Amino acid sequence: MGGVISADDPKWIEPFSGLTEGQFARLVALVRRRGGDVQRGRPWRLSLEDRVLLVATYWRANLTLRQVAPLLGVSKSAADRILDHLAPLLAISPARRPRKDTVYIVDGTLVPTRDRSVAASSKNYRYSTNLQVVIDANSRLVVAIGLPLPGSRNDCRAFPESGIDGAGRGAPTIADGGHQGTGLLIPHRKRRGQSRLSPSQEAENAVHRRARARVEHALSRLKSWKILRDCRLKGDGVHQAMLGIARLHNLALTG
């Protein structure tokens, strides 16, 4: 059975992966170094390039595997096997020790998911999971992503419970008011009996908002991979997809 799309034809790479041909080649090289070409059991019908393209297409377009598999000329079960094998290899690397001048920004985002074990009805009235995302304020690259928690979980609880609090250790980390009590840098808030903030506090909050806009933009770009708008994956699937999409996002930014 022949496929409709293939990484051999560069015109398919950018629409289905969000990467240029050169960026995609670097991604494939990384997956190969991590053992993506290791043969276990039945040989792969597709080349490593096409297998990486299959996973990227699945995340980018949010088609079902029954729809994606024929595009690459394989069966649905083969596509399942490819996703299970390659998704962990596409994940971003653990955060390194930050440099002295590093500043991080953290925010939580809701990802609608059908796996009720990591989801709860949240403020968007859908069953969602709360994922905490840390980015580098200067490069705007995603540094770390916390474990998924029910979408009803407040950010101030989700930040430590997701395990992402260790990623920003050693560097100042900016957050919104929802992270109150976490020790992060949050905006000034009016105290009891205080009618308004002082001019200096208002000015500092304006600087804080401009800085935090960077993480909002990063989350918006991450969600251009449509699986983060309605994730059908179960178990570790939503977390692996987020980690892999963060890798694609970082590659797209670095050029």
Side-chain angles (χ1 to χ4, degrees):
M1 180 170 60
V4 177
I5 67 175
S6 172
D8 292 337
D9 188 343
K11 73 180 180 185
W12 299 115
I13 292 176
E14 190 159 1
F16 287 100
S17 71
L19 303 176
T20 65
E21 187 179 355
Q23 291 164 350
F24 185 78
R26 288 197 290 278
L27 179 65
V28 172
L30 169 72
V31 173
R32 183 172 281 113
R33 288 196 303 271
R34 289 183 166 186
D37 247 354
V38 174
Q39 294 282 347
R40 291 193 182 95
R42 287 174 294 169
W44 300 107
R45 178 184 177 90
L46 298 177
S47 66
L48 181 59
E49 290 79 2
D50 279 353
R51 281 180 275 140
V52 172
L53 183 61
L54 184 149
V55 176
T57 301
Y58 179 64
W59 289 341
R60 185 81 169 168
N62 200 23
L63 301 172
T64 66
L65 283 176
R66 291 188 184 279
Q67 294 169 318
V68 172
L71 292 177
L72 277 295
V74 294
S75 65
K76 191 262 184 185
S77 59
D80 270 322
R81 196 160 63 100
I82 290 168
L83 181 65
D84 289 344
H85 182 238
L86 289 190
L89 303 182
L90 289 165
I92 56 172
S93 303
R96 298 180 180 179
R97 186 175 180 179
R99 301 187 308 271
K100 290 183 179 179
D101 60 344
T102 299
V103 176
Y104 289 147
I105 311 174
V106 65
D107 199 8
T109 187
L110 294 175
V111 175
T113 180
R114 304 183 192 186
D115 184 358
R116 300 293 177 91
S117 67
V118 294
S121 183
S122 52
K123 62 185 180 183
N124 61 3
Y125 304 106
R126 299 179 66 183
Y127 273 84
S128 306
T129 185
N130 182 327
L131 285 161
Q132 297 285 303
V133 179
V134 175
I135 71 162
D136 186 306
N138 294 316
S139 66
R140 309 186 187 215
L141 301 179
V142 177
V143 174
I145 295 172
L147 295 171
L149 294 168
S152 57
R153 196 71 47 89
N154 293 332
D155 284 341
C156 59
R157 287 184 59 196
F159 180 72
E161 290 178 13
S162 68
I164 205 172
D165 52 339
R169 209 163 283 160
T173 304
I174 298 170
D176 62 10
H179 289 83
Q180 190 173 15
T182 58
L184 303 178
L185 302 174
I186 64 172
H188 294 291
R189 304 179 72 174
K190 289 184 289 188
R191 297 178 180 178
R192 183 175 296 178
Q194 186 180 8
S195 60
R196 61 174 59 186
L197 297 175
S198 69
S200 62
Q201 289 175 325
E202 291 283 10
E204 288 173 6
N205 278 1
V207 173
H208 190 280
R209 283 194 298 273
R210 287 196 294 272
R212 275 204 65 257
R214 298 185 178 194
V215 74
E216 299 289 350
H217 296 159
L219 294 175
S220 177
R221 285 192 293 268
L222 287 170
K223 289 191 174 181
S224 65
W225 279 269
K226 293 184 179 179
I227 197 168
L228 299 183
R229 301 181 191 179
D230 181 19
C231 185
R232 291 182 292 269
L233 296 169
K234 295 185 178 180
D236 293 335
V238 64
H239 193 222
Q240 287 182 351
M242 193 71 167
L243 291 170
I245 290 167
R247 167 77 65 185
L248 299 175
H249 163 272
N250 288 355
L251 264 175
L253 274 187
T254 53

